Each structure stands twice: as C-alpha cells, then as structure tokens.
C-alpha cells in the first residue's frame, strides 16, 4: 500500500527556521516525483515544487522559488520542505503528494497524498 | 501561466441528483492533461480523474470526466452522501502546475 506520512504540526515564531518531512512507503521512492502543495486557511491548493528523489532534480513554482527549499534523502525515503525564515503568511497546511504514472509514463498529477502538516507562524 | 476557473462556486443538490462541475482554462491544456480532486473537511485531497477522463484507482464509476482544450467537466451521475465536498481541477500540461479555486458541492 502506497503511503506518505508527514511530520506533525508545528508552531513557530516569525524569523524561525523549519523543516517538515514526508516519508514514503509501499513503492519505489526513488522512481516517482514528489510534490509539495500549500493550502492556506480556508483557501485552495497551490503547487510549490517537485523533486525526483532518485537524483534530487528539483523544480519550483515561480511563486515559491527562493522562498522554500525542497530536498530528499533517498536512503530513508523521505522528502523535505524547509524555510530559513518563516513569516506569518507561511501559516498553512502543507501536503506532500506523489506524482502519478500510467502506461509506463509519468505525469504531473498527484495520485497519493500525505495527511498534511499544519504550520502556524505567530508571534 | 494557465489560469483555471471553476463554476459554479457552490452547487446545492440533494442525494441522488446529478452534479455537473465546470473547469475552464485561460489557454488550451495540452494533451488534455487535466485532473480532478475531491477534498473533504479536514482531509487531504483525493485524485478522482486524470487525463481529463480516466478514473483513478478505486474511484466509483458515478464519477466521470470529459472535455478538451479549454473546457472540462466533472460529472457525478447520482450523488451519494459521501460526495458532498469541494472539488478542484488541476492542469499539468504546462509549468507552473495550477489548480482551480474549487467548487463546493453541498446538501440542499
């Protein structure tokens, strides 16, 4: 069974750093892209970026380029999303999700999702 | 960037009724790379449809997708109580990947 298990909720102050995680299991972690999606309170879904754990090839949405860092440690089947200096506007639910494949090719839709990590940034 | 517009914003229907949700793109979505997701309160989104019309694993056949180019539709043939949720479309034909703002299907 494919599973993506994310780290727990975080409460941080503005200016602090943070790294949240997403551990994959039940499939070949190095063979599928993993993406991160933000959902601000009461709002819709926003694509942040994707990483291919096999070689750490990473792509960012222009809206998030330079604001966050996406990484992965394939030895422990885990992807990460990190901030060096949080802002109140980073308060949101963050989801990791696997990009889907069909017919031997892979595409940029999300077929399995983590449960989400709630990040609250408040002074 | 491809902007997706979903209509209506809210759809109020009764169980057993048919739901028709629209997703319109600001420019043509290449190769019909359009997906639909369902999200219930407090839950992660769930993939329903990819490639505009292919049902994801385990999705009941009351869910169907259609369309091409700039106009796409998600149809729920007969609403079950568990189908009341928010539905998002997403295009993955070009970068950046974008989502629509969502359609809420609630109980009339």
């Amino acid at each position: 069974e494919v599973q993506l298990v994310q780290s727990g909720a975080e409460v941080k102050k503005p200016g602090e750093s943070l790294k949240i995680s997403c551990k994959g299991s039940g499939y070949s972690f190095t063979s599928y892209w993993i993406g991160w999606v933000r959902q601000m309170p009461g709002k819709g879904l926003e694509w942040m970026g994707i990483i291919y754990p096999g070689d750490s090839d990473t792509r960012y949405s222009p809206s998030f380029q330079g604001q966050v860092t996406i990484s992965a440690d394939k030895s422990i089947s885990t992807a990460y999303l990190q901030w060096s200096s949080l802002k109140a506007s980073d308060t949101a639910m963050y989801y990791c999700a696997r990009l889907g494949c069909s017919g031997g090719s892979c595409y940029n839709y999300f077929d399995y999702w983590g449960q989400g990590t709630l990040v609250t940034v408040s002074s | 960037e491809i902007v997706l517009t979903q209509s209506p914003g809210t759809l109020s229907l009764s169980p057993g009724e048919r739901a028709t949700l629209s997703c319109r793109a600001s420019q043509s979505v290449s190769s019909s790379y359009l997906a639909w997701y369902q999200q219930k309160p407090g839950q992660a989104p769930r993939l329903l449809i990819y490639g505009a019309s292919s049902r994801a694993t385990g999705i009941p056949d009351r869910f169907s997708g259609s369309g091409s180019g700039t106009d796409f539709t998600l149809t729920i043939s007969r609403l079950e109580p568990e189908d009341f949720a928010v539905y998002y479309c997403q295009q993955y034909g070009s970068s950046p990947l974008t989502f629509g703002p969502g359609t809420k299907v609630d109980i009339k």
Side-chain angles (χ1 to χ4, degrees), chain B residues 11-73:
Chain B
L11 194 54
S12 296
L13 294 168
S14 300
E17 290 193 295
R18 181 185 187 89
T20 303
L21 287 66
S22 173
C23 177
R24 181 162 290 177
S26 60
Q27 54 190 280
S28 183
V29 176
S30 64
S31 304
S32 295
Y33 287 164
L34 193 286
W36 291 93
Y37 302 87
Q38 176 194 68
Q39 188 177 33
K40 297 178 183 179
Q43 295 186 17
R46 176 174 71 144
L47 176 68
L48 300 175
I49 300 287
Y50 62 94
S53 60
S54 297
R55 267 187 304 277
T57 303
I59 301 304
D61 60 8
R62 65 180 181 272
F63 291 92
S64 63
S66 63
S68 64
T70 61
D71 289 292
F72 298 87
T73 301

Side-chain angles (χ1 to χ4, degrees), chain A residues 39 43-45, chain B residues 6 35-37 39 86-90 100-102:
Chain A
Q39 187 167 40
K43 301 298 184 184
L45 305 170
Chain B
Q6 291 186 244
W36 291 93
Y37 302 87
Q39 188 177 33
V86 179
Y87 292 84
Y88 294 96
C89 58
Q90 179 226 336

Side-chain angles (χ1 to χ4, degrees), chain A residues 39 43-47 62 95 102 107-111 113-114, chain B residues 33 35 37 39 43-45 47 50 88 90 92 95-97 99:
Chain A
Q39 187 167 40
K43 301 298 184 184
L45 305 170
E46 301 172 271
W47 172 64
Y95 294 101
S102 64
Y107 305 90
N108 291 336
Y109 60 85
F110 302 100
D111 62 352
W113 293 67
Chain B
Y33 287 164
Y37 302 87
Q39 188 177 33
Q43 295 186 17
L47 176 68
Y50 62 94
Y88 294 96
Q90 179 226 336
Y92 53 98
S95 186
L97 311 181
F99 292 89

Side-chain angles (χ1 to χ4, degrees), chain A residues 5-121:
Chain A
V5 178
Q6 298 185 229
S7 49
E10 301 274 1
V11 179
K12 292 288 191 180
K13 290 181 167 39
E16 292 185 332
S17 62
L18 176 64
K19 192 173 188 177
I20 62 175
S21 66
C22 168
K23 183 174 177 60
S25 63
Y27 72 100
S28 174
F29 186 74
T30 54
S31 300
Y32 289 79
W33 291 79
I34 290 278
W36 288 93
V37 175
R38 182 175 79 174
Q39 187 167 40
M40 299 179 78
K43 301 298 184 184
L45 305 170
E46 301 172 271
W47 172 64
M48 302 177 72
I50 54 174
I51 187 166
Y52 189 73
D55 61 7
S56 291
D57 186 8
T58 309
R59 318 278 171 85
Y60 292 93
S61 164
S63 299
F64 291 92
Q65 178 84 48
Q67 308 305 307
V68 297
T69 301
I70 294 171
S71 61
D73 184 340
K74 62 184 179 182
S75 69
I76 55 171
S77 300
T78 301
Y80 302 97
L81 177 66
Q82 69 180 86
W83 295 259
S84 58
S85 180
L86 286 160
K87 302 184 281 288
S89 57
D90 292 319
T91 294
M93 181 71 80
Y94 293 88
Y95 294 101
C96 65
R98 192 185 79 165
L99 274 66
C101 299
S102 64
S105 297
C106 294
Y107 305 90
N108 291 336
Y109 60 85
F110 302 100
D111 62 352
Y112 289 92
W113 293 67
Q115 82 277 20
T117 296
L118 180 62
V119 174
T120 303
V121 184

